[in-house]
Amino acid sequence: MTDAALTARPGHALVGRARAPGDKSMSHRALLLGALAKGVTEIEGLLEGEDVLNTAKAMRGFGATVDQLGEGRWRVEGQGGFSEPSDVIDCGNAGTGVRLIMGAAAGFDLSATFTGDASLRGRPMGRVLTPLGLMGAIWMGRSGGRLPLTLKGGNLKSIVYRLPMASAQVKSAVLLAGLHAEGGVEVQEPEPTRDHTERMLRAFGVTVDVTDTPDARIVRLDAGQSLTGTKVRAPGDPSSAAFPIVAALITPGSRVTIEGVMLNPLRAGIFTTLQEMGADLTIENLREESGEPVGDLTACYSALKGVEVPAERAPAMIDEYPILAVAAAFATGTTIMRGIGEMRVKESDRIALMANGLKACGVDIEEEPEGMIVHGSGQAPKGGARITTKGDHRIAMSHLVLGLAAQTAVTVDEPEMIATSFPTFHSLMADLGADISA
């Protein structure tokens, strides 16, 4: 990393309209399913962050033709499957990308070596490799299944797999492998997770059956199905939209509208929680794009109050807890966030980094093994700290948002990592009136 830093300074109301960048989860999946499909897939609204661009490069490595036609407009021509790559597949910082790609690759008779940046090489892959191994895939690499590793696919057998943790990535990897497994697959989810893979597989012509039972959601996919190229439009990413939304809620005098935000109920937990905290947050122009509910969100400065977030909501907002903790720092009363141990194995230990950063800014926060408790005073925190982000984009953006409404400026290190998920963050926030600069 470089010595670059960004500082967010308070004192400016945020006003205006903007469009959230394309949804990261859908962007990964659109490229991947387009590469697996036979024929041409046209994508609009693709997020052109580093993580997604690494997935595009990986799809080329597996034999697909992937071309950028314009801003957010891409064309993928697949051959109906993967061929063996001639080089290492480097997924950079993309945890979603590598886990889904490994699932898809496991269905083919090939060997592929996967690696990533320092952060990704430290993240657990065993959760995906375990079910793939039960299906017959073979992997060789570091202990714990950490990258780099080599995966040998082909001749997969059917599996009924109950997720040991709420993870759409694991579910998706099993479903993608199941496309070429003898007998298909069944995934049992004790807690429903984001269902973008199921929705998008249907758009590509695949039948996916979903049944809710008293103790699990059952997702079944029969083998032998083929994908046909289609048109995909990626709506705005709710994870990205949450940053300007929270910034408006905590900055006096602000009124911000973010257009075209995905409102899939398995992704929109952050907005439900903010409304429960008393946020003046309205949704208009509800519509559907590529099978996903979409709307325009308007947020106005609000007097927030602390709440206890239901633990079962965590899968619908696991990436948004850092920015929720910032909102909680400005609220009156205590906000309890539990059942979020997954945060410790993201790009960083997000519970520890948020606790450290907020404490440095004068916030009363308790760190638990699988949770955080923020005691808000109803006043703007003092700020004034330089935050260590460990190269985590969401830690950086969350503290920059805090700095826009704190008593004094907040600085974050390693801000270049923001480009992995939200390459237009700085310009979008500046257009709304935010004072963020080096």
Side-chain angles (χ1 to χ4, degrees):
M1 294 300 170
T2 68
D3 293 329
L6 276 180
T7 299
R9 298 171 179 84
H12 300 270
L14 305 180
V15 179
R17 303 177 70 91
R19 184 174 180 89
D23 184 72
K24 186 178 177 183
S25 296
M26 286 192 69
S27 295
H28 282 302
R29 288 163 171 82
L31 290 168
L32 178 52
L33 296 188
L36 288 171
K38 185 73 172 178
V40 173
T41 294
E42 296 177 354
I43 308 169
E44 291 187 15
L46 188 87
L47 173 66
E48 291 168 348
E50 292 177 12
D51 283 1
V52 174
L53 296 179
N54 279 320
T55 293
K57 183 179 178 181
M59 294 305 95
R60 294 187 186 104
F62 281 105
T65 301
V66 183
D67 297 309
Q68 182 181 18
L69 305 180
E71 185 176 349
R73 295 177 52 245
W74 289 67
R75 181 183 187 274
V76 182
E77 184 171 359
Q79 303 302 315
F82 281 0
S83 57
E84 185 165 289
S86 60
D87 203 350
V88 172
I89 301 297
D90 187 344
C91 291
N93 191 248
T96 297
V98 71
R99 293 187 179 111
L100 269 59
I101 295 167
M102 286 195 294
F108 299 95
D109 183 15
L110 57 79
S111 291
T113 299
F114 296 89
T115 191
D117 66 9
S119 172
L120 190 60
R121 292 196 302 271
R123 296 173 67 182
M125 297 297 144
R127 58 180 58 183
V128 168
L129 295 171
T130 294
L132 295 181
L134 292 172
M135 296 174 73
I138 300 170
W139 66 274
M140 297 160 285
R142 298 165 59 202
S143 62
R146 299 185 190 276
L147 302 180
L149 64 83
T150 298
L151 182 74
K152 174 70 171 67
N155 299 314
L156 300 187
K157 59 186 178 182
S158 178
I159 188 175
V160 175
Y161 191 69
R162 189 174 182 89
L163 294 181
M165 78 293 289
S167 173
Q169 295 176 1
V170 177
K171 172 182 64 176
S172 298
V174 174
L175 292 176
L176 293 171
L179 288 168
H180 298 92
E182 183 180 356
V185 292
E186 175 181 306
V187 180
Q188 301 176 357
E189 295 186 286
E191 294 288 343
T193 66
R194 58 183 66 177
D195 59 353
H196 305 311
T197 298
E198 296 96 304
R199 289 173 181 256
M200 198 174 288
L201 279 169
R202 294 187 186 109
F204 278 83
V206 174
T207 298
V208 184
D209 296 318
V210 179
T211 305
D212 287 315
T213 69
D215 71 334
R217 172 168 287 182
I218 309 299
V219 184
R220 296 187 181 90
L221 185 151
D222 291 334
Q225 301 188 69
S226 58
L227 286 75
T228 303
T230 188
K231 293 184 178 181
V232 177
R233 179 174 176 81
D237 192 322
S239 299
S240 297
F243 294 105
I245 291 292
V246 169
L249 294 175
I250 64 176
T251 305
S254 296
R255 178 184 176 88
V256 166
T257 298
I258 305 299
E259 302 172 347
V261 180
M262 178 197 290
L263 296 173
N264 183 314
L266 295 173
R267 288 286 301 284
I270 180 63
F271 306 127
T272 300
T273 303
L274 290 170
Q275 289 173 327
E276 292 171 352
M277 295 174 75
D280 183 350
L281 180 61
T282 57
I283 301 171
E284 298 175 319
N285 193 20
L286 280 170
R287 56 203 187 272
E288 186 173 290
E289 294 180 2
S290 296
E292 297 282 355
V294 173
D296 302 336
L297 274 62
T298 297
C300 299
Y301 173 67
S302 304
L304 302 176
K305 64 180 187 295
V307 297
E308 181 167 359
V309 186
E312 60 268 20
R313 192 176 291 166
M317 54 180 291
I318 193 64
D319 287 332
E320 288 74 72
Y321 279 94
I323 191 61
L324 177 63
V326 170
F330 288 80
T332 299
T334 299
T335 298
I336 300 170
M337 296 164 274
R338 290 189 170 125
I340 56 174
E342 178 76 7
M343 286 179 64
R344 294 198 182 274
V345 292
K346 289 287 187 176
E347 282 86 334
S348 67
D349 182 341
R350 287 179 172 164
I351 292 178
L353 287 184
M354 284 308 301
N356 292 341
L358 291 180
K359 286 177 183 176
C361 291
V363 178
D364 184 0
I365 178 170
E366 300 176 51
E367 178 184 348
E368 297 183 339
E370 296 198 10
M372 297 183 288
I373 301 174
V374 178
H375 302 284
S377 66
Q379 304 295 320
K382 68 177 180 65
R386 181 184 174 95
I387 306 301
T388 298
T389 66
K390 297 290 181 70
D392 191 313
H393 51 121
R394 299 199 192 279
I395 300 300
M397 288 185 283
S398 296
H399 284 93
L400 288 172
V401 167
L402 184 146
L404 296 176
Q407 296 175 34
T408 54
V410 173
T411 298
V412 303
D413 68 0
E414 302 185 21
E416 62 270 23
M417 292 305 293
I418 291 172
T420 63
S421 68
F422 199 162
T424 60
F425 173 77
H426 187 270
S427 59
L428 183 150
M429 296 299 292
D431 288 345
L432 296 174
D435 183 357
I436 302 175
S437 59

